Amino acid sequence: MGLLGLKVIYHVESEVISLGEVSYKPLLDLEKYRRLYMLHDLKRLNWGYTGVLRLAGLSFKVFVRVSSDKLEIVEENGRFYSSISFRRGKGNLQVRINVESPNSVLKESLLNTLTRNIREYGSLICSKGRVESFPLSLIASMLKPEVKKVVDVRGEVCPVPEMIAKRELMKIKPGEMLELLVDHPAAVEVTLPEVAKLFNSKYEIFNMGDYVSFVMLKLGDPSTHWQFAEALEERRGIEELMGDGAFLAYLYTVFDRVVRREKVEALSPSILRGEGLTMIAAASIGRGWHLTALVEDENVLGVTLNDQGVRSVNREALNRLSSIKGLGHTFYLRPSIPL
């Protein structure tokens, strides 16, 4: 059981397939061979793809990330995570398929189907030859500016990239640039852009393949948001501010000390408890949902929930919490300086 009484169960299974002495590069070409992974309606993002995975008559919205030797498929609400990695051992290509899901039936079905498809068609696809194109990472590296301050936050999920961005932006001078290497979708698409705006910075995103380069140019010193500071100090008007992206970004800059971190497979009102004034940030391992809440002990001051692109705040968000299922992470944060 987790600290909040949430039962955390991860069902993980894997298979290893040998495809002989072939190149695995064609298996990473989703434009041509997306059906091998049951993928449909792919749309390219700044990095990776969104699409639909169809399995046994069911459709799941997914985020897909491709690196130099690995393909990852994440259901947007955390229902499953799958990775297909490629490595050469003793001349033969080894393909490892991992599937993680709180639903054992879904996990087994997805693993079996991916294994069957790659075993039956993988060698044939690989024998057709190399994919002749420039890697996205090479193109991006030629286009993006040279930045002296580079911080690698790959592997970190919200709110860690935002906290690090805030810390580093406070160190650099106007006219200087900061580059973050990020591989967490919610940070790239939702929270880091708001942090950049809050700190009076322009930003640009460069697709590096299995991660992005998030480059920020600091234009000047950040504006002082006295109304946000007063709302926190006086515990007044917070509900009205929870729908304001700038206020949410401000919270990420103030609540900069992680006091607890948990894995969850569902959301519920029981997670909205803290010791003193606490910010709670929770996100699915995919792109489906993201929650930011401000609590004081057991008193909920305000909540924002983004679920599949739909934002709800406060009472509406609380009413929807119990319907949010899927693997995710929850962080409990306190301010370094007492409010």
Side-chain angles (χ1 to χ4, degrees):
M1 300 288 285
L3 293 177
L4 295 175
L6 295 176
K7 191 175 183 181
V8 181
I9 302 175
Y10 292 91
H11 299 271
V12 185
E13 291 288 347
S14 63
E15 289 281 354
V16 178
I17 303 170
S18 178
L19 295 182
E21 297 183 5
V22 294
S23 170
Y24 62 81
K25 294 299 183 181
L27 295 177
L28 296 174
D29 186 357
L30 293 186
E31 304 288 340
K32 290 184 178 180
Y33 303 116
R34 59 187 180 277
R35 298 294 180 89
L36 184 71
Y37 309 105
M38 297 91 72
L39 296 172
H40 303 261
D41 304 326
L42 286 182
K43 295 181 181 179
R44 187 185 293 275
L45 304 175
N46 286 321
W47 61 306
Y49 300 83
T50 57
V52 175
L53 186 146
R54 294 176 184 165
L55 176 69
L58 300 175
S59 295
F60 302 93
K61 292 182 179 180
V62 295
F63 173 77
V64 187
R65 181 166 53 211
V66 181
S67 63
S68 60
D69 59 358
K70 188 176 183 180
L71 186 148
E72 296 171 277
I73 304 172
V74 184
E75 201 278 333
E76 69 172 9
N77 290 306
R79 292 187 178 92
F80 61 79
Y81 166 82
S82 177
S83 66
I84 300 99
S85 55
F86 307 91
R87 62 177 298 180
R88 192 166 299 284
K90 297 182 179 180
N92 290 323
L93 174 62
Q94 302 290 321
V95 183
R96 176 176 290 276
I97 306 165
N98 292 323
V99 177
E100 177 178 347
S101 174
N103 185 316
S104 59
V105 176
L106 175 59
K107 175 264 304 177
E108 184 176 353
S109 178
L110 181 57
L111 178 65
N112 290 343
T113 305
L114 285 171
T115 301
R116 183 183 67 246
N117 286 358
I118 295 174
R119 179 175 286 127
E120 291 184 4
Y121 304 109
S123 295
L124 177 62
I125 291 172
C126 291
S127 65
K128 289 185 176 182
R130 299 178 179 177
V131 179
E132 297 180 356
S133 62
F134 289 105
L136 288 173
S137 57
L138 177 59
I139 297 173
S141 64
M142 292 188 293
L143 294 176
K144 73 183 185 70
E146 182 178 353
V147 182
K148 292 183 179 180
K149 184 62 177 180
V150 181
V151 182
D152 190 345
V153 294
R154 286 174 290 184
E156 299 288 357
V157 299
C158 295
V160 176
E162 295 83 355
M163 294 164 56
I164 293 175
K166 169 245 181 174
R167 182 190 68 199
E168 298 300 330
L169 283 170
M170 291 180 67
K171 292 179 181 178
I172 65 175
K173 300 176 182 178
E176 294 181 339
M177 289 187 290
L178 168 67
E179 179 180 4
L180 293 180
L181 309 182
V182 195
D183 60 2
H184 184 55
V188 173
E189 298 184 10
V190 181
T191 49
L192 280 178
E194 291 292 346
V195 171
K197 294 175 188 176
L198 185 71
F199 278 83
N200 195 13
S201 302
K202 290 181 63 177
Y203 69 90
E204 194 165 1
I205 300 171
F206 297 90
N207 182 354
M208 304 303 292
D210 58 337
Y211 67 97
V212 303
S213 165
F214 196 101
V215 178
M216 288 176 272
L217 169 64
K218 188 172 182 179
L219 300 177
D221 292 324
S223 302
T224 302
H225 293 269
W226 293 111
Q227 72 276 26
F228 295 164
E230 289 177 357
L232 285 181
E233 290 175 4
E234 300 176 9
R235 314 294 196 266
R236 175 179 52 81
I238 291 175
E239 281 196 355
E240 290 77 10
L241 289 171
M242 290 304 292
D244 186 338
F247 179 66
L248 297 181
Y250 176 78
L251 293 181
Y252 279 99
T253 67
V254 173
F255 292 82
D256 54 0
R257 182 166 59 91
V258 177
V259 295
R260 192 161 82 242
R261 173 178 179 171
E262 295 184 349
K263 287 184 177 181
V264 297
E265 61 176 25
L267 293 182
S268 76
S270 65
I271 72 170
L272 301 180
R273 299 172 185 169
E275 296 180 5
L277 188 62
T278 304
M279 187 182 91
I280 300 169
S284 70
I285 61 173
R287 296 159 38 85
W289 50 263
H290 182 270
L291 174 139
T292 304
L294 197 61
V295 303
E296 190 163 26
D297 299 320
E298 296 187 3
N299 181 29
V300 179
L301 303 178
V303 185
T304 296
L305 174 66
N306 283 283
D307 179 23
Q308 301 184 61
V310 178
R311 172 180 285 189
S312 55
V313 296
N314 301 319
R315 185 172 298 278
E316 182 183 356
L318 290 172
N319 290 337
R320 297 180 61 191
L321 272 190
S322 297
S323 66
I324 305 299
K325 311 293 183 184
L327 305 176
H329 299 269
T330 302
F331 288 80
Y332 295 80
L333 301 103
R334 299 288 305 279
S336 295
I337 302 175
L339 297 174

